[in-house]
Amino acid sequence: MRIGARRISGAIAAAAFTGVAVAALATSAQAQPKSKSVKTEAEWIEFDATAKTVTVKIVKPGSGSAAKTLKKGKPAVFKVVPEGSVLKRTTVSINGRKGELTDIPAGKAVNVYWVPDAANEQERLARKIDVFLTGEELEERYGVE
């Protein structure tokens, strides 16, 4: 009888723990909703290290309600996190290789993946920036014809 009682009480404790864990996860998910990132095609203008922002000229705003604040042909400012863990900082990829915000020259075509800033919905936070090299740049860099 003792063994059966231990199994039952163990099962009850496991079920209670699972219920508490699920409730905690649901609460934290509600407290910090994740936004789907918006892909915006743009032309690079500048990176301001002091303000921790980048400015681009919008080519294609992207889709979704958040992208409606961007206008084709107009400049837009995105907040960036230039340093820190790869999970927190704004990552830069130049033709598929790791890069830095300071590596991007003015006039380059970029894709900015961003979300509305959690602290201020009127601002945008760039999570990732992809830079693509032109055919001439690829040829110069890699010697490919």
Side-chain angles (χ1 to χ4, degrees):
M1 285 278 242
R2 286 182 157 233
I3 293 174
R6 285 184 188 168
R7 284 185 185 164
I8 291 173
S9 65
I12 292 171
F17 176 76
T18 302
V20 169
V22 168
L25 287 174
T27 303
S28 74
Q30 290 172 356
Q32 296 179 350
K34 286 234 176 197
S35 296
K36 184 176 179 183
S37 66
V38 177
K39 175 186 169 187
T40 297
E41 295 177 29
E43 180 182 314
W44 189 262
I45 296 176
E46 70 177 346
F47 164 56
D48 184 343
T50 306
K52 295 183 180 177
T53 61
V54 297
T55 305
V56 297
K57 181 178 171 185
I58 303 301
V59 174
K60 279 177 111 178
S63 59
S65 61
K68 291 179 182 177
T69 62
L70 301 173
K71 302 296 179 210
K72 185 177 179 178
K74 301 288 183 187
V77 176
F78 294 87
K79 291 171 63 176
V80 293
V81 180
E83 299 174 347
S85 149
V86 74
L87 299 174
K88 303 266 186 201
R89 70 178 160 85
T90 302
T91 58
V92 176
S93 172
I94 300 175
N95 211 47
R97 294 184 181 206
K98 183 180 182 271
E100 299 295 329
L101 292 165
T102 54
D103 297 339
I104 307 171
K108 288 301 299 172
V110 297
N111 286 340
V112 180
Y113 298 87
W114 60 276
V115 294
D117 188 15
N120 182 350
E121 291 288 322
Q122 303 304 314
E123 295 180 350
R124 298 171 284 271
L125 175 64
R127 298 293 298 135
K128 182 177 187 212
I129 299 172
D130 285 336
V131 182
F132 300 99
L133 300 179
T134 64
E136 295 87 28
E137 290 171 323
L138 286 171
E139 188 175 307
E140 180 182 314
R141 181 176 276 191
Y142 300 110
V144 178
E145 293 183 28

